[in-house]
Amino acid sequence: MKKFLILTGFVWATLPLLAQHFTVDYTLNPKTFCHVVVSEAQIGGVNLGSGDEIAVFDGSICCGVLYLTEAISDPLPIAAGKAETTQPGYTAGHNISIKVWDSSAGSEYNASVEFLSSITVFTDTETIPVNVIVKQERTIRLTATNKEYDATTSAGVGYTIEGGSVTGDVTITASNGSFNNSSVGTGKTVTGTITVSGADAGNYEFTKVESTTASITKKGLTVANAVAANKVYDGTTSASITGATLVGAISGDAVSIGNAVGTFSQKNVGNNISVTAAITLTGASSGNYSLSQPTGLSANITKKTITVTANNRSKDCNQNDPTLTYSFSPSLASGDSFSGTLSRESGEELGEYDILQGTLSLSSNYTLVFNKGVFTIRDDAPYWVTGANSLNRTVIYSDNDALVEAQSLAPVAGDHCDPDVSDIVKTSGEFVPDATCSEMGTYTNTWIVTDNSGNISDEFTQVITLIDNVDPVFQPVQDMEVIVAAGSCETTVDYPELVVDDACIDTIKLIAGFGPDASFPVGNSDETWVAIDKSGNTDTLTFSILVVSENENPVIDAMEDMQVTTATQDINLVLTGIYGNACTAGQLSVSAIAENTDLISYINVIYCGNNSKAILEIKLADDVEGSSMITITVQDDQERKTEETFSIKVGAVNSAPFLVSAAEDVEVHADHSVSIYISEVLGEYFDDADGDELSFEVYTEGTEDLPSWISYAEDSITCLPAIADTGCVNIVVKAIDPEGLYATDTITICALDYVLGANDGEQKSANINVYPNPTTGTLTVNLGSFADESALTLFDMNGKMLIHKNYFATDRFQIDLSEYEAGIYFVKTEFNGLINTQKVIVKK
């Protein structure tokens, strides 16, 4: 058998020369072939036949071709050539792929290879049996049919096949059709299930499209029991429909009748007028339905009743008729209106007449009901032709002619029905004018008139006002001056008599001042009187009464003489004790003058009112020495004055002393003394540029005294402390020149503990090592060979104990000074009867 296959392979290796579609890629006869043996070859379940081709590929390289002359009944080999040097062909180990050419369809297919042995790749030594299957591609698309709304999503579905027919034992079904929702709409999505079965279904590669579109149309509804309602004319064609019910709605759907309305074929009154229905649907499901309107409807439009009431009107006997008016209800339809006018019964005599409908009318769509009115012809009361207030007069009370003329005036009246209204009656106001003050004021005259019908007019009023327009006049009064003895501060005066020229004077009164019975104080007093007549006219009189005291002049405190240097430019002094007359200060003024204007370039006094103080401003000329007298003058408004003088001396600028060489700080042990020499010779300790003799003061810093153990005498500071005085003090030496300028030096004097006493015969002190010194924190105390019980005490400069500790069997210990401020402190140690005190400086 193997021999047969090799032989057969040799035969078929030459067959590619006959191929019609596929062509091998090699051009020479390969030395090695791989034989792919085809037992069965089908396209869509149909065997390949005459003219069809089968080609073996390594990737895109065509390695061998089988050209069929008939359907395969026995296995047929395809000799695939191997690649050699540059000759194309298969490569051992590469995957095998097969293509098929269907000559009847003119189509090339990629075939599915069914390997019948375990070998699935190209090999140089093995025969590879295969079946070649080509599945035909078909697309099955879902179809759906439109439907009328039924409140469900169910859909009728089918299918179509694209890409060719399907033969053999193949069954295709479409089921489970469903719209995406149940509502009415076009192009709605429909889904379903496509099922393929049958023995030959495997011959095809089916693509299922299980979605399509279809429409749900509205369900038709009808209306039953609809009746058009009659109405009263309203000028429109709108109609109402009653009793309507829906027929055909699906149970459970939210759909009902919305507006049950329609339209009359005319708007005017009539019977059996056709009505066109326009009923609407409402509800959440209403969009899924269409409505067939009911037909054959009709109804009546009846007349509208309008009630018209004439308005009562009237006129005076000689007037023209006014326009007759009316009111009506209810309102007319839009666009409708009345035509014609009202009328009244004829006649012009006084009395009442009916107001009639006349020609007033409406269209045939209305029934007009008319209510008559009353028209009255009357005789009104007489009226005044003379204008109101036109007879009012204002006259001076003493003008008799004007009073008589005003009293003679009378009004004129008229009447529409009575031609003669001259019988005017004066009802009040008769009086006899008299040119005296008692007649001033307002007088009222009134009149009325009555016509032939007995109608009485309104009252006409005339007002006559009598006035006094002449002001009263005071006769002049001269100002007065009264002199009182010294020490008297008030006096009575011979008050002048006040005389007023006016016939109608009413009041004379004092409005400012003291009056005739008062005591007047020293100074000027203004007296003001006012005269008022009965008409309110006034005149004012003012005069002054001056009371002058013969007492002392004003005073001011004396000023001390001054001495300043040329460095001084501005001097401001307070002037005090400024007072005027003992009874009244009057109006005081303060002034100043300088005798030497070459020395004093400007002098001025600032003084406000009668204050007891003033400011004296003085400006000195630059770099001018000398002296000047200053005169201060205080003067009152009676020209009484007082003068005070003082002198100003201007000398050269004084220089302050200065320190030449500072004294050194001093330490002294208890029970010992030390002296510090304070030289008073200029240039040794202190000096003065002016050569002034200096005086000295010595005191503790911050006080004015010295400690009890320090004294100052005969140019020396002597210090003799006791053990209780241990500590440091700052002593200030102050050098002062004759003008009070000074300089200072500060000496720190520290009192220490005992040293070896010459008379005690024993050692009281020992050398102790204290470090670091100065220190910023930790201080070490080294006792050397003295390692026994010891004590340590820390003092500040004022001798205040800050620390006291006992130490046992140690030759070295430490204390922490970081919490203390920077300065000088004293460390005292005691051990074996020995005492040591050392100064320690703390820095920060």
Side-chain angles (χ1 to χ4, degrees), residues 473-485:
V473 177
F474 276 104
Q475 291 186 4
V477 173
Q478 298 297 319
D479 293 340
M480 300 175 59
E481 181 175 328
V482 179
I483 299 176
V484 297

Side-chain angles (χ1 to χ4, degrees), residues 661-674:
S661 177
E664 293 184 356
D665 296 340
V666 173
E667 293 181 352
V668 56
H669 290 278
D671 292 342
H672 287 68
S673 67
V674 67

Side-chain angles (χ1 to χ4, degrees), residues 512-783:
F514 296 99
D517 300 324
S519 292
F520 285 78
V522 171
N524 191 68
S525 301
D526 288 331
E527 299 288 292
T528 301
W529 292 81
V530 63
I532 307 171
D533 66 15
K534 294 183 178 180
S535 295
N537 303 308
T538 64
D539 185 32
T540 301
L541 172 67
T542 299
F543 58 91
S544 64
I545 298 177
L546 176 62
V547 178
V548 180
S549 174
E550 295 180 337
N551 54 4
E552 69 278 358
N553 294 332
V555 296
I556 183 172
D557 289 345
M559 297 289 294
E560 293 185 359
D561 294 338
M562 296 182 60
Q563 183 173 344
V564 296
T565 69
T566 54
T568 305
Q569 292 189 354
D570 296 327
I571 300 174
N572 292 323
L573 301 176
V574 178
L575 307 179
T576 60
I578 303 171
Y579 298 100
N581 184 280
C583 297
T584 175
Q587 184 62 42
L588 299 179
S589 63
V590 182
S591 60
I593 59 173
E595 175 190 33
N596 185 353
T597 56
D598 292 333
L599 179 67
I600 297 177
S601 61
Y602 173 80
I603 187 168
N604 180 55
V605 176
I606 300 175
Y607 182 65
C608 299
N610 284 356
N611 203 302
S612 64
K613 295 181 180 181
I615 303 296
L616 175 62
E617 297 179 320
I618 298 175
K619 185 175 181 63
L620 301 178
D622 293 339
D623 299 325
V624 177
E625 297 185 32
S627 63
S628 176
M629 295 298 297
I630 304 297
T631 301
I632 309 297
T633 302
V634 181
Q635 183 172 317
D636 66 16
D637 52 9
Q638 302 299 314
E639 298 186 356
R640 293 175 296 216
K641 64 182 179 179
T642 296
E643 294 182 348
E644 287 289 342
T645 61
F646 68 98
S647 67
I648 292 180
K649 181 180 180 181
V650 180
V653 175
N654 178 43
S655 298
F658 58 90
L659 179 65
V660 175
S661 177
E664 293 184 356
D665 296 340
V666 173
E667 293 181 352
V668 56
H669 290 278
D671 292 342
H672 287 68
S673 67
V674 67
S675 293
I676 304 171
Y677 173 64
I678 303 300
S679 176
E680 296 183 0
V681 177
L682 292 179
E684 292 185 359
Y685 188 20
F686 290 95
D687 205 347
D688 187 90
D690 303 320
D692 293 334
E693 183 178 353
L694 304 180
S695 60
F696 289 83
E697 293 180 0
V698 179
Y699 53 87
T700 304
E701 186 177 52
T703 70
E704 295 181 355
D705 302 319
L706 288 171
S708 59
W709 55 278
I710 298 177
S711 61
Y712 171 66
E714 296 181 358
D715 302 338
S716 294
I717 299 174
T718 301
C719 307
L720 182 59
I723 189 61
D725 299 321
T726 301
C728 296
V729 293
N730 290 329
I731 302 301
V732 178
V733 179
K734 184 176 184 180
I736 310 166
D737 71 7
E739 294 187 10
L741 300 180
Y742 62 89
T744 62
D745 182 29
T746 301
I747 305 171
T748 299
I749 301 175
C750 296
L752 307 179
D753 268 343
Y754 296 112
V755 295
L756 180 64
N759 300 321
D760 292 341
E762 62 179 351
Q763 186 178 9
K764 291 188 177 181
S765 178
N767 292 325
I768 301 299
N769 188 14
V770 178
Y771 60 89
N773 191 11
T775 181
T776 58
T778 301
L779 183 70
T780 300
V781 179
N782 189 350
L783 303 177

Side-chain angles (χ1 to χ4, degrees), residues 19 86 92 132 247 302 316 352 361 501 579 618 633 710 756 768 783:
T86 60
V132 176
V247 177
T302 59
D316 206 1
E352 294 181 349
S361 64
D501 296 329
Y579 298 100
I618 298 175
T633 302
I710 298 177
L756 180 64
I768 301 299
L783 303 177

Side-chain angles (χ1 to χ4, degrees), residues 299-529:
N300 302 331
I301 300 177
T302 59
K303 291 185 177 184
K304 183 175 184 177
T305 300
I306 301 297
T307 299
V308 176
T309 300
N311 297 326
N312 295 335
R313 301 305 301 269
S314 64
K315 72 171 184 175
D316 206 1
C317 57
N318 68 334
Q319 294 177 325
N320 294 326
D321 280 6
T323 300
L324 301 180
T325 60
Y326 56 88
S327 61
F328 64 92
S329 67
S331 60
L332 302 182
S334 176
D336 290 350
S337 61
F338 288 92
S339 61
T341 59
L342 301 180
S343 64
R344 75 171 177 88
E345 290 180 323
S346 60
E348 294 298 328
E349 298 296 327
L350 298 177
E352 294 181 349
Y353 300 85
D354 285 341
I355 298 176
L356 307 174
Q357 181 174 343
T359 60
L360 187 69
S361 64
L362 289 169
S363 71
S364 59
N365 290 317
Y366 295 93
T367 298
L368 192 153
V369 177
F370 182 76
N371 295 322
K372 296 187 295 183
V374 177
F375 187 90
T376 303
I377 301 176
R378 66 183 182 277
D379 181 8
D380 288 339
Y383 57 88
W384 295 106
V385 177
T386 302
N389 302 322
S390 63
L391 301 185
N392 293 348
R393 295 292 185 269
T394 299
V395 298
I396 300 172
Y397 74 95
S398 60
D399 189 349
N400 287 333
D401 293 339
L403 290 174
V404 172
E405 179 186 359
Q407 189 66 22
S408 66
L409 299 176
V412 177
D415 189 88
H416 295 301
C417 301
D418 186 356
D420 182 12
V421 286
S422 59
D423 52 345
I424 299 172
V425 178
K426 188 172 187 179
T427 56
S428 66
E430 292 290 346
F431 74 98
V432 177
D434 183 11
T436 64
C437 293
S438 61
E439 298 297 330
M440 286 189 300
T442 298
Y443 298 89
T444 302
N445 297 323
T446 59
W447 293 266
I448 61 171
V449 61
T450 304
D451 64 13
N452 291 335
S453 299
N455 298 315
I456 301 174
S457 69
D458 293 335
E459 190 174 67
F460 187 92
T461 301
Q462 176 198 35
V463 177
I464 299 175
T465 304
L466 302 183
I467 64 170
D468 176 9
N469 62 351
V470 178
D471 293 338
V473 177
F474 276 104
Q475 291 186 4
V477 173
Q478 298 297 319
D479 293 340
M480 300 175 59
E481 181 175 328
V482 179
I483 299 176
V484 297
S488 296
C489 293
E490 63 180 15
T491 184
T492 58
V493 300
D494 185 9
Y495 208 83
E497 180 182 0
L498 305 181
V499 178
V500 181
D501 296 329
D502 192 295
C504 297
I505 198 68
D506 184 40
T507 303
I508 301 175
K509 60 181 179 180
L510 180 70
I511 59 175
F514 296 99
D517 300 324
S519 292
F520 285 78
V522 171
N524 191 68
S525 301
D526 288 331
E527 299 288 292
T528 301
W529 292 81

